[in-house]
Amino acid sequence: QVQLVESGGGLVQPGGSLRLSCAVIGGALDDYSIHWFRQVAGKAREGISCLSSGDAHYTYHSNSVKGRFTISTDSAKNTVYLQMNNVIPEDTAVYFCAGEVMGLCPFLPVDEYDVWGQGTQVTVAS
């Protein structure tokens, strides 16, 4: 049973940086596309970044984070990262990673992913 484990959330000041991690446990990273979502209470999950499966490692970033967030991978650690730079208060949310076997970018409907992480809270405040 493949699991995704997120870490790296916390409190960060506006303009600061944070790096989230999504570790793939029990499976091979290259077999999965990895997608980052975020959710504010009472709102739908918003897809923000993704990394396609396989060797191509195609990436996608939504307009709301493009130029500030970067998705990357460390195959040796079976981990995908979301580097968040120049954060703003509107980035405050619970961040989730989701995986799809042999998936592509950008995003599927949220109920079609094979596996989800537990989520990590990011709070941007002074």
Side-chain angles (χ1 to χ4, degrees):
Q1 183 82 11
V2 173
Q3 292 181 300
L4 301 182
V5 178
E6 298 121 337
S7 59
L11 175 64
V12 58
Q13 292 186 344
S17 297
L18 204 62
R19 189 178 76 165
L20 305 183
S21 300
C22 175
V24 179
I25 310 297
L29 176 58
D30 282 351
D31 290 344
Y32 289 83
S33 60
I34 300 296
H35 307 250
W36 284 100
F37 288 80
R38 64 187 181 186
Q39 188 170 25
V40 175
K43 295 188 176 181
R45 288 189 185 185
E46 174 194 9
I48 54 174
S49 299
C50 68
L51 179 76
S52 65
S53 61
D55 296 333
H57 288 174
Y58 172 78
T59 62
Y60 170 88
H61 298 85
S62 68
N63 287 336
S64 61
V65 304
K66 192 177 295 182
R68 300 187 299 120
F69 293 8
T70 303
I71 191 169
S72 64
T73 182
D74 185 335
S75 297
K77 296 183 178 180
N78 237 29
T79 298
V80 173
Y81 301 102
L82 185 68
Q83 178 68 43
M84 305 168 61
N85 295 331
N86 194 23
V87 296
I88 59 179
E90 289 76 15
D91 294 326
T92 296
V94 179
Y95 284 70
F96 299 87
C97 60
E100 174 70 12
V101 175
M102 304 309 293
L104 301 172
C105 290
F107 304 104
L108 297 170
V110 294
D111 59 352
E112 293 188 15
Y113 285 94
D114 292 313
V115 59
W116 284 89
Q118 80 282 5
T120 185
Q121 175 71 46
V122 172
T123 302
V124 182
S126 301

